[in-house]
Amino acid sequence: MIGPVVKGLRLERKLSQEALANSAHVSSGYLSKLERGLYKEPSYEVLSRIAGALQMDTADLYIAAGMEHLIAEADPTFEPVFEPYADKLSELPRRDRQIIMTEIRRIFIEENGDAD
């Protein structure tokens, strides 16, 4: 679950909920609910803002939360990379699609030496 990971990272950085919420441009109520696990799959956009406020890459936040299988699916900058495979991928079960997309993204990042 992403919430406890965000909370742990926030506490490591000695940030209050309000300070992190302000930096990430989310409400402190939203952040509180996220940290308590009431929001289980926040959008890529929200997680990206939270990651930025925590001074880390969005992908690293996904990985820390054990959600790396969702990175490729959630990151809109990779849509052009997956476009040629869209028809074939859509025929696969969701979990298989996520695994393949994550591996393609990982390879792309390794080849380009870029995390975002």
Side-chain angles (χ1 to χ4, degrees):
M1 223 181 337
I2 190 77
V5 172
V6 169
K7 182 178 183 176
L9 291 166
R10 175 179 63 77
L11 294 173
E12 275 179 21
R13 288 158 175 79
K14 297 178 177 34
L15 295 170
S16 67
Q17 274 187 344
E18 189 173 327
L20 178 58
N22 287 338
S23 293
H25 304 289
V26 297
S27 72
S28 54
Y30 178 90
L31 185 59
S32 173
K33 289 177 182 177
L34 176 69
E35 288 184 353
R36 289 182 287 146
L38 298 178
Y39 297 136
K40 297 186 184 353
E41 288 189 35
S43 70
Y44 179 85
E45 179 187 336
V46 168
L47 283 182
S48 180
R49 292 194 319 251
I50 290 171
L54 291 168
Q55 298 180 342
M56 63 188 306
D57 289 334
T58 306
D60 291 338
L61 181 55
Y62 272 87
I63 291 166
M67 297 170 54
E68 57 272 3
H69 61 282
L70 298 176
I71 296 171
E73 188 172 288
D75 187 342
T77 62
F78 277 84
E79 285 179 23
V81 174
F82 299 114
E83 197 170 314
Y85 311 105
D87 290 340
K88 293 291 182 191
L89 289 172
S90 68
E91 297 171 7
L92 297 172
R94 183 173 188 248
R95 177 71 179 152
D96 292 346
R97 229 180 14 255
Q98 290 172 334
I99 291 168
I100 291 168
M101 291 170 72
T102 298
E103 284 304 302
I104 291 171
R105 183 181 194 280
R106 183 189 58 75
I107 292 165
F108 184 83
I109 289 170
E110 280 180 10
E111 292 294 317
N112 291 300
D114 188 18
D116 266 339

